[in-house]
Amino acid sequence: RTFLMKGYDYVTDTQASHKASRKHPMRRWSPRAGSEAHPFGTTGNKDEVHDLIHRAQLAILNPSADLARYIRNGGLANVEVSPDLEVKFSPNIIRLDIQGPEYCNLSFTDLPGIIAMPEVKSEQFLVAVVANLTKEHIKRKSSIVILTLPMTTDVENSKAFALIQEHNAEERTLGVLTKPDRVQSQGELTRWQEMLLDKSSFRLGYGFHAVMMHPDTNLSREAVLGHSIADLHVHAG
């Protein structure tokens, strides 16, 4: 089941074109008294999930448009929806409820990646808006933060890590290191190994864990899961 969770209204008044600030952390997005859940679509077919999410994204990024335009089999949804976007970012949420006997009771929030530079210079405000949204989630004491770091960059350059440290959230953060097969030198490999073994100055409450896609892209998901982790090796050199 898919819902659009609307906790913010988009202000189109030209007088509200202020920059993201402490008083207006989401710029033109004005917070509501509470978040409203708008049912968007339901499916039991995995093949339809991608299209359902895509339509929900278009709906949430076109806040002034009629929601029915994007709902499948409703309103104008039987025609191809336009990919044009009114905004490039929204603090409102697309919520997916996935139910099944094998699933545990757990909630995940997929945050946008921290950006340092927008595609268009006039959209520099998006840097602060995305950072402000991320801070709101990091500050929640009940949240476990998952920090993803590619092993092709220096950890000192991670803006997400800096936000976690800023809000003293290290003890409830789990680090996920990606692309271990891209490490270029023994020195770099040693440094990452120290983080994995909790021997580095960069420490997290739930430690660091390395993950890598299986090199054989033709394998099915079931076959990949069946392979032992011992089959994966990090080659430095």
Side-chain angles (χ1 to χ4, degrees), residues 13-32:
D13 185 352
T14 56
Q15 298 299 319
S17 60
H18 45 68
K19 297 181 179 179
S21 62
R22 178 175 297 182
K23 186 177 180 180
H24 303 284
M26 299 302 168
R27 196 176 180 250
R28 283 195 173 191
W29 293 95
S30 175
R32 295 182 173 184

Side-chain angles (χ1 to χ4, degrees), residues 107-166:
S107 296
F108 286 94
T109 300
D110 183 18
L111 295 171
I114 303 295
I115 59 175
M117 188 71 65
E119 293 182 4
V120 182
K121 187 176 181 180
S122 61
E123 296 176 345
Q124 183 65 33
F125 68 91
L126 285 177
V127 175
V129 170
V130 173
N132 288 336
L133 177 65
T134 303
K135 290 177 184 179
E136 288 300 313
H137 287 269
I138 290 177
K139 288 190 297 185
R140 297 175 184 174
K141 302 298 183 181
S142 60
S143 296
I144 294 177
V145 182
I146 299 178
L147 171 67
T148 304
L149 294 173
M151 296 171 68
T152 53
T153 59
D154 294 330
V155 63
E156 293 90 346
N157 295 330
S158 172
K159 293 184 176 296
F161 206 152
L163 288 178
I164 289 171
Q165 292 180 326
E166 178 184 340

Side-chain angles (χ1 to χ4, degrees), residues 164-176:
I164 289 171
Q165 292 180 326
E166 178 184 340
H167 295 284
N168 299 314
E170 296 99 314
E171 286 302 312
R172 49 187 176 83
T173 298
L174 180 150
V176 178

Side-chain angles (χ1 to χ4, degrees), residues 191-234:
R191 190 182 187 201
W192 291 114
Q193 287 174 331
E194 289 176 349
M195 292 174 62
L196 288 165
L197 297 173
D198 200 25
K199 295 182 179 180
S200 168
S201 59
F202 296 104
R203 295 185 178 182
L204 298 175
Y206 292 100
F208 288 93
H209 307 263
V211 297
M212 187 178 80
M213 295 293 292
H214 197 283
D216 188 349
T217 57
N218 293 320
L219 285 179
S220 66
R221 180 175 182 272
E222 290 73 17
V224 170
L225 293 176
H227 279 263
S228 169
I229 192 64
D231 294 336
L232 302 180
H233 303 279
V234 176

Side-chain angles (χ1 to χ4, degrees), residues 36-128:
E36 296 181 2
H38 296 260
F40 189 79
T42 301
T43 182
N45 185 346
K46 291 183 179 180
D47 294 336
E48 296 179 355
V49 174
H50 179 273
D51 180 66
L52 191 61
I53 295 175
H54 176 61
R55 287 173 175 270
Q57 288 174 323
L58 291 176
I60 216 164
L61 294 175
N62 290 283
S64 299
D66 184 359
L67 182 62
R69 180 180 184 87
Y70 304 97
I71 298 177
R72 179 177 289 279
N73 299 323
L76 301 176
N78 291 322
V79 299
E80 188 66 25
V81 294
S82 171
D84 294 337
L85 304 177
E86 184 179 356
V87 297
K88 289 190 176 181
F89 172 84
S90 171
N92 289 325
I93 297 171
I94 299 171
R95 191 184 90 198
L96 304 179
D97 289 355
I98 304 173
Q99 296 178 321
E102 71 276 24
Y103 299 138
C104 59
N105 186 13
L106 192 63
S107 296
F108 286 94
T109 300
D110 183 18
L111 295 171
I114 303 295
I115 59 175
M117 188 71 65
E119 293 182 4
V120 182
K121 187 176 181 180
S122 61
E123 296 176 345
Q124 183 65 33
F125 68 91
L126 285 177
V127 175

